Amino acid sequence: MAHIPLSVFSAVGEKFYDAFIYKDRWRYITDGFALTILITLVAVVIGTILGTIVALIKVAHTNNPKKFKISNAICNLYLTVIRGTPIMVQLLIVYSIVLLPFKGTSLNLYACFIAFGVNSGAYVAEIIRGGIQSIDHGQMEAGRSLGLSQRTTMIKIIFPQALKNVLPAIGNEFIALLKETAIAGYIGVQDMTKGGDIIRSITYDPYTSLLSIAAVYLLIVMLFTHLLTRLERRLRKGDQR
Amino acid sequence: MINVKNLQKTFHNAGGDVSVLNGIDQTIEKGEKVVIIGPSGSGKSTFLRCLNLLETPTGGEIWFQDTQVNSAKVNIDQLRQKMGMVFQHFNLFPHLTILKNITLAPVSLKLQTEEEATEKAMKLLERVGLADKAQSYPVQLSGGQKQRIAIVRALAMNPEVMLFDEPTSALDPEMVGEVLEVMKELADDGMTMVVVTHEMGFAREVATRVLFMDGGQVLEEGSPKEFFGNPKNPRLKDFLSKVLH
């Protein structure tokens, strides 16, 4: 167990005042929190859209290998590269290379949107693809035999069932994403982690600042897990006997 | 109504080619109830599934009301709207209520409004005695109930022919009767039916023509009386002696 000096436990109020109240330092946390959530939400949207498109292309190609040959190859390249390199490196590449030609004040934030969104898309794609392929082939046949097109059957019959099955996995992916955004500070985005670290560097008290942001992360994750469980339960009503 | 000319189907597997249908010629007229029997692997299900192109034939022609089913130009979705299909494993949509299972296709395809489709669905449900299950989910139903719903779902599209792929094979024995009963009523109403089944009693009672398939070919066909009373093909005699006790 790490050595914790007794002084941590004394003067808690004073430490708290120093870290958060004095000179409105709490704004580092709240502004950071807002950015962390913003980056996560934008990345979730990008990731879901990208992931769904990639998954659908891959499934369509698997069902009919003559279709989407080039798109499928691009998707495979995307999945391999994104899942084969660290998110940290991807973030630096997006910020320092991809966005190099652009000028502006919030480029580092945009870099976060792109890097985390594109990264998440690769993982979401594989989850959704697995979900679609786990649905019994008879469902597609039933839809098609009624005269529904491949597309309509996919949208109205296969996809809703697949989504329900993969919801826990997608939820976990987004929880992981939320925590991964903590590296945004590396390219100068003042997210919640960076905010906490700034307070630490001002107050020389790592305990209050860092443990506080850890608690906030934990709370968000717990809240999100709770919401996810409830949503799952609602979607599961078709399984009740 | 359905015209099949020299139908061939070969599956290309990793272990080599398997030839499942070896030249089938059949004409099914409007109002006929054709029952196909035969041992497992004889190609009877594949034949049925070729009729609405769930399997793509590798040779020959299938015609449905002056339209070639297996041509590149055909709008297969439109053809399938006229050919209802019932599967061995029901294939109801588990995420939708019974009512939505039935109305999904006609409403999505804009053939009926939501109200019309619901009204028709309720009438059909009434007919098979399951009106009280409209708001249930498939998982809450027994196998026999599921299959009756599957039949209703296909009927909701006002098909001109109904294809049944071993509709009672996955059912508990005590539930077979209720499904066959619905099929008999359907037959009495004049529906054109093609049925792959192991229910010899149904074949005898309902069929206007019985086909015996083995090795991807139709080895014998005839009226049920002739077919069961006086089988000629030795393979059919052997088969009947094993299934009729």
Side-chain angles (χ1 to χ4, degrees):
Chain A
M1 203 176 146
H3 173 70
I4 301 173
L6 272 179
S7 59
V8 172
F9 301 103
S10 64
V12 171
E14 193 185 318
K15 298 248 184 213
F16 186 85
Y17 179 85
D18 247 15
F20 301 121
I21 312 295
Y22 185 59
K23 286 191 178 170
D24 278 350
R25 281 172 188 158
W26 53 273
R27 300 222 37 171
Y28 286 114
I29 302 289
T30 50
D31 290 357
F33 175 81
L35 269 188
T36 292
I37 295 296
L38 178 69
I39 294 169
T40 307
L41 284 182
V42 174
V44 161
V45 171
I46 297 175
T48 308
I49 295 171
L50 205 56
T52 306
I53 294 171
V54 170
L56 290 177
I57 289 174
K58 289 206 62 150
V59 169
H61 178 75
T62 311
N63 290 345
N64 187 351
K66 283 177 207 145
K67 275 173 154 178
F68 298 111
K69 261 189 188 154
I70 295 168
S71 319
N72 185 60
I74 295 170
C75 290
N76 282 338
L77 181 70
Y78 162 65
L79 294 178
T80 309
V81 170
I82 295 298
R83 297 196 304 163
T85 53
I87 172 73
M88 184 79 195
V89 177
Q90 292 165 17
L91 183 65
L92 289 172
I93 288 174
V94 169
Y95 181 54
S96 317
I97 300 176
V98 178
L99 293 185
L100 189 64
F102 298 92
K103 302 230 175 333
T105 45
S106 309
L107 278 185
N108 49 8
L109 190 59
Y110 293 135
C112 283
F113 293 159
I114 297 169
F116 289 115
V118 168
N119 179 272
S120 171
Y123 292 93
V124 171
E126 288 297 81
I127 294 171
I128 292 184
R129 185 175 67 95
I132 291 174
Q133 284 174 343
S134 75
I135 302 300
D136 178 26
H137 193 58
Q139 292 288 310
M140 178 54 88
E141 289 190 344
R144 296 306 304 277
S145 80
L146 288 165
L148 299 173
S149 64
Q150 171 115 20
R151 192 189 141 93
T152 309
T153 311
M154 190 52 97
I155 293 170
K156 300 213 163 168
I157 296 168
I158 309 293
F159 203 66
Q161 294 183 59
L163 198 62
K164 190 181 82 172
N165 289 350
V166 300
L167 205 65
I170 298 233
N172 284 334
E173 167 55 26
F174 292 149
I175 287 173
L177 179 64
L178 174 86
K179 293 179 289 180
E180 274 171 2
T181 61
I183 60 170
Y186 220 87
I187 57 168
V189 173
Q190 272 194 32
D191 73 321
M192 191 164 64
T193 303
K194 187 71 184 174
D197 199 42
I198 290 172
I199 296 178
R200 179 196 59 78
S201 64
I202 302 172
T203 58
Y204 294 108
D205 169 20
Y207 297 97
T208 317
S209 50
L210 298 184
L211 291 180
S212 298
I213 56 167
V216 177
Y217 276 112
L218 184 62
L219 278 175
I220 312 172
V221 170
M222 283 167 66
L223 177 74
F224 195 64
T225 310
H226 174 72
L227 291 178
L228 202 67
T229 314
R230 281 186 50 178
L231 183 62
E232 252 183 80
R233 209 176 299 150
R234 261 195 60 186
L235 285 170
R236 242 176 240 301
K237 68 181 174 201
D239 297 345
Q240 280 162 14
R241 270 169 200 279
Chain B
M1 178 177 239
I2 299 176
N3 238 309
V4 180
K5 293 174 193 161
N6 192 26
L7 181 62
Q8 315 263 349
K9 173 71 185 177
T10 307
F11 285 105
H12 304 286
N13 292 336
D17 289 356
V18 185
S19 170
V20 183
L21 298 178
N22 300 306
I24 294 186
D25 294 282
Q26 276 295 323
T27 302
I28 297 166
E29 301 295 343
K30 192 168 166 53
E32 265 198 296
K33 295 102 184 58
V34 176
V35 173
I36 307 170
I37 64 169
S40 309
S42 59
K44 52 194 192 310
S45 279
T46 306
F47 170 63
L48 191 76
R49 290 160 56 84
C50 280
L51 296 182
N52 68 350
L53 222 60
L54 282 185
E55 301 288 354
T56 314
T58 41
E61 291 177 11
I62 300 170
W63 291 76
F64 177 68
Q65 297 174 332
D66 308 327
T67 315
Q68 189 178 350
V69 175
N70 59 331
S71 91
K73 281 170 277 172
V74 77
N75 181 343
I76 190 61
D77 294 336
Q78 226 153 43
L79 275 186
R80 282 176 178 148
Q81 292 172 20
K82 298 184 204 159
M83 306 172 99
M85 182 147 194
V86 175
F87 300 87
Q88 181 177 359
H89 296 286
F90 332 126
N91 298 347
L92 294 184
F93 309 132
H95 63 302
L96 299 176
T97 62
I98 297 306
L99 188 62
K100 288 276 176 210
N101 261 275
I102 301 166
T103 58
L104 174 73
V107 174
S108 297
L109 293 165
K110 301 198 165 55
L111 301 173
Q112 299 162 21
T113 65
E114 185 90 42
E115 294 77 42
E116 285 167 0
T118 303
E119 195 182 329
K120 182 165 173 65
M122 290 313 294
K123 260 187 206 150
L124 287 166
L125 282 173
E126 205 95 38
R127 226 173 97 182
V128 298
L130 291 171
D132 56 325
K133 301 289 185 196
Q135 297 307 324
S136 303
Y137 283 88
V139 75
Q140 297 166 309
L141 270 54
S142 73
Q145 290 172 330
K146 279 185 205 169
Q147 197 60 300
R148 283 187 277 161
I149 298 297
I151 294 171
V152 166
R153 180 176 69 179
L155 288 177
M157 291 292 293
N158 298 319
E160 306 196 9
V161 56
M162 285 282 284
L163 312 175
F164 292 85
D165 188 5
E166 302 201 24
T168 57
S169 297
L171 295 175
D172 288 342
E174 56 178 338
M175 291 171 182
V176 170
E178 63 192 66
V179 172
L180 292 181
E181 203 51 49
V182 172
M183 290 169 64
K184 272 177 211 164
E185 275 176 36
L186 202 55
D188 291 341
D189 286 353
M191 176 64 76
T192 311
M193 293 164 70
V194 185
V195 185
V196 171
T197 187
H198 294 294
E199 296 295 328
M200 298 302 149
F202 179 82
R204 218 188 277 257
E205 199 179 328
V206 179
T208 52
R209 188 150 56 99
V210 188
L211 311 185
F212 174 69
M213 278 185 70
D214 195 21
Q217 285 176 314
V218 177
L219 295 185
E220 185 158 345
E221 62 179 293
S223 67
K225 206 173 155 198
E226 182 71 14
F227 186 92
F228 290 106
N230 185 19
K232 292 171 194 74
N233 187 290
R235 192 64 196 86
L236 173 59
K237 283 183 192 170
D238 180 49
F239 180 75
L240 288 178
S241 73
K242 281 175 188 156
V243 295
L244 300 173
H245 349 257

